[in-house]
Amino acid sequence: MQLEEWILPYMSNLLLDTGFNWYAWVVLPLIICLARVADVSFGTVRIILVSKGYKLWAPVIGFFEILIWVTVIGRIFKDVNHPIYYIAYAGGFAIGNYVGMFIASKMSLGEVIIRVITKVPATELIEKLRDFGFNITSIPAEGPSGPVHLIFTIVPRKQLKNVVAQIKHYNPNALYSVEEVFFVNEGEFPLYRSLAKPAGKSLVGRGSKCK
């Protein structure tokens, strides 16, 4: 079955009556762009899954990525040589990269390491994070202007906003950085005990703030 026979077949008479080839100049470029967006989005997500070690989901996403290419892109580019189709193809590729990264960010996959440097003690912050199940490592260090406190922890990406909110609440002037973690060997130190909020407690603390 040709593409013209299964995508908007009822438009043929309308296109002929208006005299403008809507299918060639509007419909087909739009199909090319959307198909490429879907294809590249799957590819971007697949690469991110591979980098994070998701051995099951990466092949599944790759299957649908190639399926779209074979069944849709292959049909569309058969005997197509108009410049507008190449523009639609390139535009779909660019949009697909953004859409893929957006989807991956919303999936909140993997873990991140958070480092916090503060000039004042962060006892309340440490206690609050431990109260919510995060394992915290705290050591004294020497900064450019004197002694500082270094805190770091590894948390699931989906909990990143919550931890940052705690940092800003208890130590708003602290310096903190966030880095991707590609592999974690917990050993004798599990990353976190529980991600569930204790009953009756708010995620953002109500204690006094440190500067």
Side-chain angles (χ1 to χ4, degrees), residues 127-206:
E127 290 179 351
K128 191 66 176 182
L129 293 178
R130 286 175 175 169
D131 187 40
F132 284 102
F134 299 109
N135 286 334
I136 308 297
T137 299
S138 176
I139 58 175
E142 188 71 22
S145 58
V148 295
H149 298 269
L150 175 62
I151 305 168
F152 66 90
T153 181
I154 299 177
V155 303
R157 176 176 286 278
K158 62 183 178 181
Q159 295 291 330
L160 175 60
K161 290 183 179 180
N162 297 332
V163 176
V164 170
Q166 297 282 23
I167 296 172
K168 292 182 177 180
H169 178 79
Y170 288 102
N171 295 76
N173 294 327
L175 169 67
Y176 67 90
S177 62
V178 180
E179 299 178 16
E180 290 280 354
V181 175
F182 295 101
F183 176 77
V184 178
N185 180 19
E186 297 184 12
E188 299 180 356
F189 304 95
L191 299 183
Y192 36 83
R193 299 185 300 275
S194 173
L195 297 181
K197 294 189 296 182
K201 293 185 179 181
S202 172
L203 186 60
V204 178
R206 301 192 180 190

Side-chain angles (χ1 to χ4, degrees), residues 2 29 37 47-48 54 87 90 108 111 118 124 131 155 198 201:
Q2 297 297 323
V37 167
I47 293 174
I48 294 175
Y54 288 82
I87 296 176
S108 299
E111 287 81 26
T118 175
E124 289 183 290
D131 187 40
V155 303
K201 293 185 179 181

Side-chain angles (χ1 to χ4, degrees), residues 11 23 27 33 42-43 47 66 75 78 83 88-89 93 95 100 102 109 111 113 120 153 174 179 194 201 208 211:
M11 294 185 63
Y23 178 79
V27 177
C33 182
F42 278 123
I47 293 174
I66 297 302
R75 288 179 179 270
K78 184 178 181 181
Y89 181 89
F93 180 84
I95 299 174
F102 177 80
L109 300 172
E111 287 81 26
I113 182 170
V120 298
T153 181
E179 299 178 16
S194 173
K201 293 185 179 181
S208 59
K211 295 182 180 180

